[in-house]
């Protein structure tokens, strides 16, 4: 059992604290995301979109959509409708502004919802995506099971999440960056001293690689595979219903 890591030290559930944290940093989230990842994350999302496109999905759900970067990129999968959900009202507000500016309001809709209690009927979506969201779930198995429930039979789940490089020198460089540079820059720009300390802590606690594949399998996903990207800094996980 992995230790639960929460953004703040005070009382309250992880779910509540994650929502508060993202509300606090929403206005500066996109800037921070691209600065801290050196914009490599854009290429990772393109790969997720390409994999999602393989099934020619008509209805796509983007869970933990945040400011809707992945939801917007998923337009290239040519679906009929994209729905994004997130627990943070602040992040969704930023996402809606971006969607409106790009003229995508008819294609993409965002709503506030809990990833572990999805407000959709069984067998609704052809594909579900999650980018950097599953490690923030309070109950990982419940979140994965809920997504499996609302997937159509044969539907595809794609999860993009940070992992931990194992090879020298990338492991050492990554650990130094994550533990020293990222929290310092994140604190300066976001004005939230805990948000970017929580990030490396949550990545350290996350059951990545084969451990995550095993949990996906336990939640009913089949034909699982994982694709490490950029020397194993992140991994794309795929499972079918």
């Amino acid at each position: 059992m992995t230790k639960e890591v929460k953004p703040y030290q005070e009382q309250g559930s992880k779910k509540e604290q994650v929502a508060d944290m993202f509300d606090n940093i929403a206005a500066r989230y996109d800037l921070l995301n691209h600065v801290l990842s050196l914009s490599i994350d854009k290429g990772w999302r393109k790969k997720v979109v390409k994999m999602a496109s393989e099934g020619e999905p008509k209805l796509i759900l983007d869970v933990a959509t945040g400011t809707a970067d992945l939801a917007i990129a998923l337009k290239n999968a040519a679906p009929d409708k994209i729905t994004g959900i997130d627990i943070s009202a602040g992040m969704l507000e930023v996402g809606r502004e971006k969607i409106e500016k790009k003229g995508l309001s008819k294609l993409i809709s965002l709503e506030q919802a809990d990833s572990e209690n999805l407000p959709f009927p069984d067998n609704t979506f052809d594909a579900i995506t999650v980018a950097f969201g599953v490690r923030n779930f309070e109950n990982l198995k419940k979140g994965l099971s809920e997504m499996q429930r609302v997937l159509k039979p044969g539907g595809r789940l794609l999860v993009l999440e940070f992992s931990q490089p194992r090879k020298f020198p990338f492991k050492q460089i990554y650990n130094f960056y994550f533990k020293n540079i990222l929290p310092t820059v994140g604190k300066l720009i976001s004005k939230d001293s805990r948000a970017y300390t929580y990030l490396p802590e949550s990545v350290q606690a996350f059951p990545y690689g084969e451990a995550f594949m095993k949990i996906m399998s336990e939640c009913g996903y089949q034909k699982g595979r994982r694709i490490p990207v950029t020397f194993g800094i992140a991994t794309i996980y795929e499972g079918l219903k």
Side-chain angles (χ1 to χ4, degrees):
M1 192 73 172
T2 55
K3 178 192 170 190
E4 184 180 61
V5 175
K6 299 193 285 191
Y8 307 110
Q9 302 302 323
E10 65 259 21
Q11 293 297 312
S13 70
K14 178 175 179 177
K15 197 175 293 184
E16 292 166 340
Q17 291 192 20
V18 165
D20 287 345
M21 179 189 75
F22 281 115
D23 283 345
N24 290 342
I25 65 174
R28 298 178 181 88
Y29 179 80
D30 284 338
L31 170 65
L32 269 164
N33 215 18
H34 301 316
V35 166
L36 292 171
S37 71
L38 309 176
S39 287
I40 297 170
D41 61 307
K42 293 179 182 179
W44 298 341
R45 285 185 177 87
K46 280 183 183 176
K47 195 166 184 66
V48 171
V49 171
K50 188 177 179 184
M51 290 172 71
S53 302
E54 291 169 13
E56 298 183 353
K58 297 301 177 191
L59 297 176
I60 301 178
L61 175 65
D62 186 40
V63 171
T65 194
T67 60
D69 271 357
L70 182 53
I72 290 166
L74 282 163
K75 72 181 187 297
N76 294 322
D80 292 339
K81 183 71 179 172
I82 301 164
T83 303
I85 67 114
D86 201 278
I87 202 168
S88 165
M91 296 284 274
L92 291 170
E93 192 177 329
V94 175
R96 287 189 188 103
E97 288 173 10
K98 285 159 65 174
I99 289 165
E100 196 171 331
K101 280 180 185 173
K102 291 178 182 292
L104 296 171
S105 296
K106 288 184 179 177
L107 176 66
I108 306 170
S109 65
L110 303 184
E111 56 185 275
Q112 189 171 10
D114 180 356
S115 306
E116 295 161 37
N117 294 286
L118 296 171
F120 308 108
D122 296 358
N123 310 317
T124 299
F125 298 97
D126 301 294
I128 298 178
T129 58
V130 196
F132 310 113
V134 291
R135 74 175 191 286
N136 296 321
F137 288 3
E138 191 168 70
N139 186 325
L140 180 57
K141 280 191 174 182
K142 191 175 180 190
L144 287 171
S145 297
E146 268 293 271
M147 291 187 284
Q148 203 263 1
R149 177 183 69 77
V150 302
L151 264 180
K152 290 179 182 175
R156 185 187 314 253
L157 171 69
L158 292 164
V159 174
L160 170 61
E161 190 52 85
F162 286 115
S163 41
Q164 298 178 47
R166 294 182 175 182
K167 292 184 179 177
F168 178 87
F170 303 107
K171 178 180 178 180
Q172 286 73 14
I173 294 168
Y174 173 89
N175 286 337
F176 178 80
Y177 180 75
F178 245 48
K179 290 176 183 176
N180 298 282
I181 297 172
L182 186 146
T184 304
V185 176
K187 180 180 177 181
L188 282 170
I189 299 177
S190 73
K191 310 300 182 190
D192 187 317
S193 61
R194 272 294 296 164
Y196 288 87
T197 307
Y198 163 75
L199 175 56
E201 288 174 358
S202 65
V203 171
Q204 288 270 309
F206 183 71
Y208 68 97
E210 282 303 318
F212 185 70
M213 294 288 292
K214 184 173 182 288
I215 295 169
M216 284 182 66
S217 177
E218 289 169 358
C219 293
Y221 294 95
Q222 301 171 4
K223 298 183 180 177
R225 63 171 173 153
R226 61 186 174 100
I227 302 166
V229 290
T230 316
F231 311 111
I233 290 174
T235 302
I236 300 169
Y237 303 89
E238 180 185 59
L240 304 181
K241 178 171 178 177

